[in-house]
Amino acid sequence: MQQAFRHISRILLGLLTTACFDTLSILPAAAQSCSDDEYYYPYAEREERRPLLTSDTTLFYRAVQGAEDLYGRYTDFALPPVALRRRGLDYTSERNTLSGIGLSYRYFTLLRLLGAEENRNPGLQSGPGMTPAPGGGTLFRFPEGEALQPYLVSVRFADRNYCFGTRVSGTVRLPGGWRLAAGADFRTGRDLHVEGVFTNAVTAGFRLSRTFDRGDALSLLCIVPVSMQGMRLSTSEEAFALTGDRLYNPAWGFQNGRVRNSRVRREMLPLTVAAWETPLAPSTALHLTLGATAGKNRYSSLGWYDARTPMPDNYRYLPSHTGDRATETAWLSNDPHYTQIDWDELIRQNRMAGGHAVYALEDRVERCWDATLHALFTTEVDRRLTLRYGAEVRLDDRRHYKEMRDLLGADHIVDIDQYLIDDDTYGTLLQNDLRHPDRMIRAGDRFGYDYTLTTRHAQAFFEANYRSDRFLGALWLSLGHSSVNRRGHYEKELFPGSQSCGPSRTLRFAPWTVRATAGWSFTPRHYASLTLLASSRTPEASDLFYQPLYNNRTVGDARAERSFAAEAAYRLTGPRVDFEATLFTVLTLDGMQTRRYYDDMSYVYCDLAVTGIGTWSCGVELAADIRLADRWELTLAASAGRYRYVRDPVVTVLSDVDNTTVDRGSRSRMGGCAVGGAPQLTAAGELSWFGRRGWGVHLSTGYAGRRFVEPMPLRRTDRLAGQGGITPEAFAAFTCQERLPDAFTLDGSLFKTFWFSHSRLTVSLLLKNLLGDSDIPYNGYESLRVRRISAGDATFYTPHATRYTYLLPRTFYLTISYRF
């Protein structure tokens, strides 16, 4: 009976996998956010009680040296769902890999379904052969053994991001010694709290592997994520107050009585990884991996041509600017003609324009091609010393362009620079593509801009690991060469010839990394270590150009970003208590950013470059796992730190139409500002009970304090703060950084597991934010814009309002999973 059931299950698995791959060809594509439900509740399908450790042997000193990230494991779920930049570091400071191939978060769910094990490395730690990074990372690997319960089928229901989801996965043995693992994850539905937010996504994949007689191993992995997501936009506090809704979303409106979102992400980015491992000698092995990602990201937004902005929360449409009672009354009554996008009115105006669109829905497209060849040699010199060395070559090619999605009832637009139509000086230089002037653009056509950013990177690395019974020593050295250039596919009339079309000059960098670790096991349960790291990395390609959309001009003072970090850790493992404490400090210098914006002081569109950004992070992280009794467990975690800017960066502003200088070499008063989106105080705790009949309860609480909005360097320059802040109050408005309220959440979950002879069924219910508090900002950022206020003959300046998003109220997540 059991064999028959397994046979039927395999057939169903094959059908479901085939169906999911068929769905890939018909679902619209979109970018998956990092906040998938693995981070929403990562344990819903694998609830189990951890056994107590009673061994006290002195034979195994190495076990305590393992770099398990206790703080990360206990805070990923329990902390409030606010913006969390751990240790004040950007996500680009992390490195997530599989066999040396860099991974995005969008592939994590399928890797877990396919049976991959993950080792999360905190801070300066890293896995074998993994390039160290200041923010740590995650190392995925596939174990050689087979799971006792190789099949999974689960369904889930939620009220956040989507309504219904299902997962299926399984592993089978094929003839010839091959092993196949396949899985699929499907989500669909709309958010029940935020109007306009929805998800339609499917991610499917497989892994085919075989180990040959002489020890060679071959594997092929393929993961295809396809998704479409309606997004939620931030807005000002005035809009939240007028609507009385902390979850107000200005991105949507009604069209023919139906909700339509203007900001939709679509993605299709397949990942393929081929790995070959072969022994070259009794003590040396070669692991060769080739990985490639290719596909498209699309992000839609409304475009308007010689017309008023259609976004309802624009400051010009709010009562604080209009000053009339009728507008305030309309907002207070939540009139959708004022508070939301009026799609019907946009279509009506297009039909009155005589064929040429006044409003249209555009897609900003990124076509990606990322290929990496990673060669790793491993030599076991003796039982204590292991050497790893090799090389890596990577090509990152990203083509960016705009594509017309919907003309909203119009027939066409002309591919010209709509912002210059009324310009007395540059109104005759309108062509976006001088080689195809006055081109008629219809739905599906490419227009506006078209360029490619290419990054080529090669590096050689060497790692030595020495372990005695008590001592651990490790050294990592790497040196590389990177080149970045832009190739324009349109010749912009404002910047003719090689200024916009063809290749730009190539910027070259020599990134390097040095890391040293020393650790000592005082006993089999007590371990302390010290790690030092210095590194230099290539800037993001888009930050090296003032205006990559249609200008080959590069930032003049482009430097590699340097990081210097130290980390001291202590770890205790015991039969009832695991404890970890980490002291860390990270200094980052020569960071850079570029942005495009409308400059209210000079009345022109400008390109902004901020160079010489320096940040410093220091603090402590603590985590403990306390097994109170056979069926009770308590986990605690906390951190305290200072994450701030330590240098005043240099700000350069150029006119977007002719590259003339608007402001050059101005210092921004950023020194002393806190890093935004990085709580400087965190605390989390979870109490768990595992009953005798499969029942279990989790009650968790989290706290995030000393949070600040994202600061903008531009507003702290003499040109804005000095000229605009003519009074102490105005100067403070430009330079003072707003602190966000502390966040506190309480969550609870209940689960029940039913065990059968060779299978188990788990039902899990999670309630997030039990207190239902939606007055906690998720995050906020300062605006680049400046507002003019006229009073008689005098003109005063003040920054535009900070924009926020808020936490969701109480939400639920119900999962029913079956493993067999």
Side-chain angles (χ1 to χ4, degrees):
M1 182 67 180
Q2 184 71 26
Q3 287 183 337
F5 183 67
R6 287 183 175 230
H7 182 67
I8 295 173
S9 301
R10 291 181 185 182
I11 296 174
L12 290 175
L13 174 64
L15 292 175
L16 282 169
T17 305
T18 303
C20 287
F21 275 110
D22 290 341
T23 309
L24 293 175
S25 63
I26 61 176
L27 271 181
Q32 279 179 291
S33 66
C34 297
S35 58
D36 68 357
D37 39 280
E38 287 293 327
Y39 295 91
Y40 188 39
Y41 190 45
Y43 311 116
E45 294 163 356
R46 46 186 183 275
E47 293 284 11
E48 58 186 11
R49 178 170 57 93
R50 295 179 62 191
L52 294 179
L53 302 177
T54 57
S55 173
D56 194 22
T57 177
T58 59
L59 298 178
F60 304 104
Y61 289 98
R62 296 189 180 186
V64 73
Q65 298 173 352
E68 184 181 13
D69 185 11
L70 291 182
Y71 175 85
R73 192 177 77 184
Y74 298 153
T75 57
D76 276 347
F77 165 67
L79 284 182
V82 297
L84 290 167
R85 292 170 60 175
R86 186 174 173 182
R87 300 186 181 182
L89 302 175
D90 189 73
Y91 75 95
T92 56
S93 66
E94 301 178 8
R95 182 168 174 82
N96 307 305
T97 63
L98 171 69
S99 301
I101 305 300
L103 295 174
S104 165
Y105 285 98
R106 62 175 61 87
Y107 305 112
F108 283 16
T109 298
L110 248 291
L111 287 172
R112 297 181 183 115
L113 285 177
L114 296 178
E117 296 178 349
E118 56 185 299
N119 181 20
R120 180 165 180 175
N121 303 287
L124 307 184
Q125 308 302 315
S126 63
M130 180 179 177
T131 302
T138 302
L139 177 67
F140 284 90
R141 60 177 295 273
F142 285 94
E144 296 181 359
E146 296 187 19
L148 297 178
Q149 297 170 335
Y151 303 101
L152 166 69
V153 176
S154 75
V155 294
R156 57 196 187 277
F157 306 90
D159 59 347
R160 160 179 156 171
N161 295 329
Y162 64 95
C163 290
F164 171 78
T166 183
R167 287 177 183 163
V168 58
S169 67
T171 304
V172 295
R173 283 285 183 180
L174 301 178
W178 291 94
R179 181 182 176 189
L180 174 66
D185 174 57
F186 174 74
R187 290 173 288 164
T188 187
R190 65 184 185 91
D191 192 297
L192 300 185
H193 300 280
V194 184
E195 193 65 82
V197 175
F198 66 89
T199 299
N200 292 314
V202 62
T203 304
F206 69 90
R207 181 176 183 264
L208 187 64
S209 61
R210 180 184 177 184
T211 300
F212 298 89
D213 294 337
R214 61 183 298 269
D216 295 343
L218 175 65
S219 66
L220 176 64
L221 171 74
C222 182
I223 299 176
V224 184
V226 180
S227 64
M228 179 172 68
Q229 292 181 313
M231 308 303 294
R232 171 189 177 192
L233 295 184
S234 60
T235 190
S236 65
E237 187 63 32
E238 181 182 4
F240 288 123
L242 289 169
T243 59
D245 182 10
R246 292 298 190 189
L247 305 181
Y248 166 66
N249 180 15
W252 68 275
F254 289 108
Q255 180 177 343
N256 292 328
R258 301 183 63 182
V259 172
R260 182 178 185 182
N261 198 327
S262 65
R263 300 297 179 97
V264 178
R265 289 188 181 276
R266 297 172 173 85
E267 173 190 273
M268 184 173 181
L269 278 177
L271 167 72
T272 303
V273 178
W276 172 261
E277 185 175 1
T278 181
L280 302 178
S283 61
T284 302
L286 168 64
H287 196 142
L288 191 65
T289 310
L290 176 63
T293 302
K296 291 181 180 180
N297 288 322
R298 300 173 183 269
Y299 185 43
S300 67
S301 63
L302 279 169
W304 55 99
Y305 317 113
D306 198 22
R308 299 181 67 190
T309 172
M311 297 309 297
D313 64 331
N314 184 275
Y315 76 99
R316 295 179 180 273
Y317 301 157
L318 296 177
S320 62
H321 181 84
T322 61
D324 65 287
R325 181 62 181 171
T327 300
E328 183 178 4
T329 301
W331 272 87
L332 290 172
S333 62
N334 283 316
D335 184 344
H337 295 288
Y338 285 80
T339 61
Q340 307 300 152
I341 297 171
D342 194 341
W343 291 96
D344 294 329
E345 175 62 19
L346 302 185
I347 294 172
R348 187 186 68 83
Q349 292 196 31
N350 273 353
R351 288 173 176 170
M352 294 174 60
H356 190 283
V358 178
Y359 297 98
L361 191 65
E362 310 167 347
D363 271 345
R364 299 180 182 272
V365 185
E366 180 184 32
R367 192 176 70 187
C368 307
W369 167 252
D370 189 348
T372 303
L373 178 62
H374 183 85
L376 171 65
F377 295 86
T378 302
T379 299
E380 302 282 349
V381 179
D382 53 38
R383 70 179 186 88
R384 296 185 175 186
L385 179 62
T386 301
L387 303 180
R388 297 182 181 90
Y389 46 96
E392 177 181 293
V393 180
R394 180 184 177 191
L395 171 65
D396 186 356
D397 192 84
R398 297 175 183 267
R399 186 162 182 170
H400 303 258
Y401 54 88
K402 274 203 303 186
E403 190 172 277
M404 182 58 66
R405 172 160 290 274
D406 189 348
L407 284 163
L408 301 179
D411 179 69
H412 68 277
I413 65 167
V414 180
D415 190 12
I416 59 176
D417 194 329
Q418 304 286 339
Y419 295 104
L420 296 178
I421 290 177
D422 298 325
D423 193 293
D424 295 335
T425 304
Y426 301 99
T428 58
L429 305 175
L430 300 178
Q431 299 300 325
N432 286 325
D433 185 5
L434 192 57
R435 301 183 182 185
H436 301 88
D438 296 324
R439 188 161 53 97
M440 296 291 184
I441 303 301
R442 293 178 171 82
D445 290 343
R446 192 176 302 184
F447 73 106
Y449 60 83
D450 188 358
Y451 67 97
T452 300
L453 291 177
T454 302
T455 301
R456 298 175 177 86
H457 175 76
Q459 75 165 2
F461 57 88
F462 171 82
E463 180 184 18
N465 283 275
Y466 177 83
R467 290 179 183 264
S468 65
D469 288 341
R470 293 177 180 265
F471 176 74
L472 180 149
L475 176 67
W476 172 281
L477 302 171
S478 65
L479 178 63
H481 177 270
S482 297
S483 64
V484 181
N485 77 297
R486 174 191 183 274
R487 176 176 291 275
H489 304 290
Y490 284 175
E491 183 181 355
K492 181 81 169 177
E493 192 169 9
L494 282 173
F495 306 103
S498 61
Q499 295 182 74
S500 59
C501 192
S504 69
R505 77 181 183 98
T506 300
L507 297 108
R508 305 183 188 278
F509 303 90
W512 51 268
T513 302
V514 178
R515 190 200 63 187
T517 299
W520 181 262
S521 300
F522 298 95
T523 72
R525 305 207 180 279
H526 298 271
Y527 172 72
S529 66
L530 175 66
T531 304
L532 304 176
L533 178 140
S535 66
S536 168
R537 69 173 183 177
T538 304
E540 294 293 318
S542 58
D543 287 331
L544 294 171
F545 296 86
Y546 278 103
Q547 176 52 288
L549 300 185
Y550 42 76
N551 196 334
N552 274 337
R553 181 165 180 171
T554 58
V555 175
D557 191 22
R559 299 180 183 179
E561 182 180 281
R562 296 174 293 149
S563 296
F564 305 92
E567 181 180 279
Y570 167 75
R571 188 175 304 114
L572 164 68
T573 63
R576 293 196 174 273
V577 177
D578 290 342
F579 174 76
E580 187 174 78
T582 304
L583 293 170
F584 62 87
T585 181
V586 182
L587 176 65
T588 301
L589 303 174
D590 297 328
M592 59 188 303
Q593 297 175 355
T594 57
R595 293 176 180 268
R596 271 62 64 187
Y597 74 105
Y598 181 78
D599 191 88
D600 297 281
M601 304 290 280
S602 61
Y603 298 90
V604 297
Y605 283 93
C606 289
D607 304 320
L608 165 71
V610 185
T611 57
I613 300 174
T615 61
W616 178 55
S617 302
C618 67
V620 58
E621 293 177 346
L622 306 170
D625 184 355
I626 306 169
R627 292 169 283 279
L628 301 172
D630 184 45
R631 299 186 179 276
W632 289 88
E633 184 174 354
L634 175 66
T635 60
L636 301 171
S639 72
R642 290 286 305 276
Y643 318 133
R644 60 189 181 90
Y645 292 87
V646 293
R647 286 189 173 181
D648 291 339
V650 176
V651 175
T652 301
V653 180
L654 303 182
S655 169
D656 188 61
V657 295
D658 59 2
N659 281 346
T660 57
T661 301
V662 175
D663 189 14
R664 181 180 295 278
S666 179
R667 288 282 176 178
S668 173
R669 298 174 178 85
M670 290 287 289
C673 287
V675 175
Q680 300 184 15
L681 294 174
T682 67
E686 182 178 82
L687 181 64
S688 302
W689 171 75
F690 302 90
R692 295 183 180 275
R693 297 180 179 273
W695 288 99
V697 176
H698 297 290
L699 185 66
S700 63
T701 182
Y703 167 79
R706 287 193 58 81
R707 305 189 299 136
F708 295 85
V709 300
E710 299 277 356
M712 292 297 172
L714 177 68
R715 63 193 290 174
R716 291 171 172 81
T717 61
D718 285 337
R719 180 167 166 269
L720 269 69
Q723 297 180 25
I726 58 176
T727 65
E729 294 78 11
F731 184 80
F734 279 100
T735 58
C736 290
Q737 187 180 13
E738 179 186 350
R739 179 173 171 175
L740 294 172
D742 295 351
F744 176 83
T745 55
L746 180 66
D747 310 318
S749 65
L750 172 69
F751 71 90
K752 167 69 173 175
T753 300
F754 302 89
W755 284 279
F756 307 101
S757 57
H758 298 286
S759 61
R760 64 175 176 175
L761 176 71
T762 300
V763 181
S764 174
L765 173 65
L766 165 71
L767 295 177
K768 291 282 287 183
N769 196 4
L770 284 170
L771 303 179
D773 188 358
S774 60
D775 289 332
I776 302 174
Y778 166 81
N779 198 15
Y781 68 90
E782 297 174 348
S783 174
L784 288 167
R785 300 290 303 276
V786 174
R787 183 176 175 182
R788 302 184 193 88
I789 302 175
S790 298
D793 295 334
T795 301
F796 301 93
Y797 298 91
T798 184
H800 271 228
T802 300
R803 300 182 72 87
Y804 308 91
T805 51
Y806 282 84
L807 292 189
L808 296 176
R810 187 180 301 109
T811 57
F812 75 88
Y813 187 83
L814 174 65
T815 303
I816 304 171
S817 61
Y818 182 57
R819 289 187 176 273
F820 55 98

